[in-house]
Amino acid sequence: VIRTVAIYGVGLIGGSFALAVREAGFERTILGVSSPATIETAVRLGVIDEGAGFEEAAARADLIYLSQPIGEIVRALERIDEFVRPGTLITDAGSTKSKIVGTARRYVRRGLFLGGHPMAGKETTGVAEAEAGLFRNRPYVLTPIEDQDLSRENVLQLTDWIGAIGARQVVLQPDEHDRLVAYVSHLPQLISTALGSLLGEAEGAEAIAGPAAIEMTRLAMSPYRIWHDILSTNTTQIEAVLEQFICKLQDLRGNLLGEEISDEFAKAAAAAQSLRSDRAPKSFP
Amino acid sequence: VIRTVAIYGVGLIGGSFALAVREAGFERTILGVSSPATIETAVRLGVIDEGAGFEEAAARADLIYLSQPIGEIVRALERIDEFVRPGTLITDAGSTKSKIVGTARRYVRRGLFLGGHPMAGKETTGVAEAEAGLFRNRPYVLTPIEDQDLSRENVLQLTDWIGAIGARQVVLQPDEHDRLVAYVSHLPQLISTALGSLLGEAEGAEAIAGPAAIEMTRLAMSPYRIWHDILSTNTTQIEAVLEQFICKLQDLRGNLLGEEISDEFAKAAAAAQSLRSDRAPKSFP
């Protein structure tokens, strides 16, 4: 039974997870491992109960939730195992999975590691932005090392929580996860960054920018410090998907007046509709 | 003094303009020129007072507002002049301006033509989607044929209305308008279409799509019938801007692990922030 949860990295995602499980009925202790300033804010906002050190939190927790940037998750996995009680469930919220799961395979022996990735977020960061509803109607990917891990008692409690906080559980292999997030997350980010950068260079453009330009550059406000780790742990997949996208654009560019572009619009509209069909909320954050 | 307004093409934009000027205090007659089904809906929703034929509306109106697709605006400009009273103000809401203003220069003699482009819209169309607030905090571009046109009495009334409906007036040459909308509107659309199309091909991607993919494909739901005319009346500018964007992406792709990408993120974030600074609403439609 999960009695104590320890959130490592009490930011937007970790803080939202704490608020969400609280709202879903978890009444026991939630510890936070973060900088003193973040802990103070998180306690004041009622996101966590108390702060704890890296080792103390590991020793006390039944569920360890690693929601730092990827590089820090990797470093935590390299040293956390000796402090946890046997069987302690360790999960994470990192945006790429191959590197993290590979690290856990190597270093986690006493604990049980289950990779996770809630497909939720905002362009803002920090615990003050955390909200219990962040995961609602969003996919929550799990990347178990062994399939039978999913039937362990503490994992079943975690997957119950994933349902209770309104998320939609999806089980994938780490490399398949990384291939797919390159399409649905890393490509959209880089497109938004490239567009923001180009609009910044186009003199006069800002004065007439309407909803299209504003919406398409929201992701561009994401801080690079998060993206550095994503780009460096999923480089090959991102390069491949960028290449496919560049080809699409070159095709469009060469056929602006052709018949085929009508099919591209129809195909794209159908895919866009499909992303929104019943499982996604009708309005945007 | 503008006593009678005639909206040609009572869709999202034309209908929203009618609702907006009504809300801003205009109490006289608003005519609509559209299909019988659209007129019926528009009258029922209180968007217009009555339907009228092409010639009758032109003869009765003090302000003619052409808000059809670009091709229809061009065809209307080729034949409307003989029906209008001398000095009648004719404006439009077409998304490209060079072709439209060029046509007006050639065919409009009795009326006074002033090109316009409200930078507002949604991925949906039709009068049922019209709303009085659509132009609020959005740029409204005007492309006068002669600078002194802006000091004509009926033009001053129109520009008063543009302020009263909450829009931000921007005056541009038609070709400069077309160059800039290629950046802020046509490029975002084609990016969204290309992304939607690619996601439609990437098996398994849909199951894990989160807010980034959903938001970045909203524009992809715009119907091609509107975009056909835009692409064919601004082809050269769109090709040039697409080429610049493709170069940006190729640079990013070649430097995913380089130092420079940090600068691109910072530049893009600054531009994105700037698009939102005070003049734009904080949340998205």
Side-chain angles (χ1 to χ4, degrees):
Chain A
V1 180
I2 297 172
R3 285 190 201 82
T4 301
V5 174
I7 310 280
Y8 284 67
V10 189
L12 173 67
I13 299 296
S16 295
F17 184 77
L19 289 173
V21 298
R22 198 59 106 196
E23 191 180 81
F26 178 69
E27 295 181 341
R28 308 294 288 263
T29 306
I30 302 182
L31 303 175
V33 182
S34 264
S35 71
T38 298
I39 293 299
E40 198 208 300
T41 308
V43 170
R44 183 163 44 78
L45 296 174
V47 173
I48 58 169
D49 295 305
E50 51 179 303
F54 185 95
E55 300 174 15
E56 182 203 341
R60 288 173 64 188
D62 305 298
L63 171 65
I64 291 173
Y65 195 90
L66 303 174
S67 43
Q68 311 100 308
I70 295 165
E72 269 185 67
I73 293 175
V74 167
R75 286 187 290 278
L77 286 170
E78 287 170 355
R79 56 183 278 248
I80 205 165
D81 198 56
E82 62 170 308
F83 306 109
V84 307
R85 281 175 281 128
T88 298
L89 178 55
I90 306 172
T91 189
D92 80 302
S95 300
T96 64
K97 297 265 68 76
S98 297
K99 171 76 175 170
I100 286 171
V101 175
T103 305
R105 271 181 182 278
R106 189 159 162 210
Y107 290 95
V108 177
R109 308 251 167 240
R110 297 147 54 87
L112 168 67
F113 182 77
L114 174 65
H117 183 199
M119 304 299 299
K122 304 197 260 187
E123 74 282 10
T124 48
T125 57
V127 67
E129 295 289 328
E131 44 180 286
L134 194 71
F135 309 104
R136 207 165 289 146
N137 287 312
R138 300 303 184 193
Y140 198 115
V141 180
L142 295 176
T143 59
I145 291 175
E146 310 287 350
D147 283 352
Q148 60 264 38
D149 290 348
L150 291 176
S151 39
R152 299 273 284 268
E153 201 192 316
N154 48 5
V155 173
L156 288 172
Q157 191 167 351
L158 175 62
T159 56
D160 274 356
W161 283 2
I162 289 172
I165 66 178
R168 205 160 18 88
Q169 185 179 308
V170 180
V171 175
L172 291 173
Q173 295 292 320
D175 59 344
E176 179 68 354
H177 167 276
D178 288 358
R179 190 180 73 80
L180 293 175
V181 289
Y183 285 102
V184 301
S185 168
H186 310 165
L187 175 62
Q189 174 64 46
L190 291 171
I191 290 171
S192 189
T193 297
L195 179 63
S197 171
L198 187 61
L199 293 184
E201 293 167 10
E203 219 168 309
E206 184 185 322
I208 65 157
I214 290 174
E215 177 175 59
M216 296 291 283
T217 56
R218 185 186 65 92
L219 294 174
M221 296 188 295
S222 297
Y224 176 67
R225 67 177 180 279
I226 289 173
W227 283 93
H228 172 273
D229 289 2
I230 295 174
L231 300 177
S232 60
T233 55
N234 204 26
T235 317
T236 313
Q237 306 272 24
I238 295 172
E239 284 171 347
V241 166
L242 267 176
E243 190 57 40
Q244 292 173 40
F245 185 72
I246 289 168
C247 286
K248 276 268 171 219
L249 285 180
Q250 280 166 334
D251 281 356
L252 287 180
R253 184 181 179 284
N255 291 288
L256 288 178
L257 303 181
E259 297 277 312
E260 313 82 356
I261 201 167
S262 162
D263 298 334
E264 282 295 297
F265 267 75
K267 210 165 89 180
Q273 278 293 355
S274 177
L275 294 181
R276 288 157 174 77
S277 62
D278 63 40
R279 11 172 240 78
K282 295 299 176 212
S283 64
F284 311 117
Chain B
V1 181
I2 298 173
R3 286 190 200 82
T4 301
V5 174
I7 311 278
Y8 284 66
V10 189
L12 173 66
I13 300 295
S16 294
F17 183 77
L19 290 173
V21 298
R22 197 61 104 196
E23 191 180 82
F26 178 69
E27 294 180 341
R28 309 294 286 262
T29 306
I30 301 182
L31 304 175
V33 182
S34 264
S35 71
T38 296
I39 292 300
E40 198 208 300
T41 307
V43 170
R44 182 164 44 78
L45 295 173
V47 173
I48 59 168
D49 295 304
E50 52 179 301
F54 185 95
E55 300 174 14
E56 182 203 341
R60 288 173 62 188
D62 304 298
L63 170 66
I64 291 173
Y65 195 89
L66 303 174
S67 44
Q68 311 102 309
I70 296 165
E72 270 186 66
I73 293 175
V74 167
R75 286 187 291 280
L77 286 171
E78 286 169 355
R79 56 182 278 250
I80 205 165
D81 198 57
E82 62 170 306
F83 306 109
V84 308
R85 281 175 281 126
T88 298
L89 178 56
I90 306 173
T91 188
D92 80 304
S95 301
T96 64
K97 297 265 68 79
S98 297
K99 171 75 175 170
I100 287 171
V101 175
T103 305
R105 271 180 180 278
R106 187 158 163 210
Y107 290 96
V108 176
R109 307 254 168 236
R110 295 147 54 88
L112 167 68
F113 182 77
L114 174 64
H117 183 200
M119 304 299 299
K122 304 196 260 188
E123 74 282 12
T124 48
T125 58
V127 66
E129 295 288 330
E131 45 181 285
L134 193 71
F135 309 105
R136 209 164 289 148
N137 286 314
R138 300 303 186 192
Y140 198 116
V141 181
L142 295 176
T143 58
I145 291 176
E146 311 286 350
D147 282 352
Q148 60 264 37
D149 289 349
L150 290 176
S151 38
R152 299 273 284 266
E153 200 192 318
N154 47 6
V155 172
L156 287 172
Q157 190 167 353
L158 175 62
T159 56
D160 274 356
W161 282 4
I162 289 172
I165 66 180
R168 205 160 18 87
Q169 184 178 310
V170 179
V171 175
L172 291 173
Q173 295 292 319
D175 58 345
E176 179 69 355
H177 166 276
D178 289 358
R179 188 180 75 79
L180 293 175
V181 289
Y183 284 102
V184 300
S185 167
H186 310 164
L187 175 62
Q189 173 64 44
L190 291 171
I191 290 172
S192 188
T193 297
L195 179 63
S197 171
L198 186 61
L199 292 184
E201 293 167 12
E203 220 169 307
E206 184 184 323
I208 65 157
I214 290 176
E215 177 176 60
M216 295 292 283
T217 55
R218 185 186 65 93
L219 294 174
M221 297 189 294
S222 297
Y224 176 67
R225 66 176 182 282
I226 289 173
W227 283 92
H228 173 273
D229 289 2
I230 295 175
L231 300 177
S232 60
T233 54
N234 203 27
T235 316
T236 313
Q237 306 272 24
I238 294 172
E239 284 171 348
V241 167
L242 268 176
E243 191 56 40
Q244 292 174 38
F245 185 71
I246 288 168
C247 286
K248 275 266 171 220
L249 285 180
Q250 280 166 335
D251 281 354
L252 287 180
R253 184 181 178 283
N255 291 289
L256 288 179
L257 303 181
E259 296 279 311
E260 312 81 357
I261 200 167
S262 162
D263 299 334
E264 283 294 297
F265 267 74
K267 208 165 90 179
Q273 278 294 355
S274 176
L275 294 181
R276 288 156 173 78
S277 60
D278 63 40
R279 13 173 237 79
K282 295 297 173 215
S283 63
F284 311 117

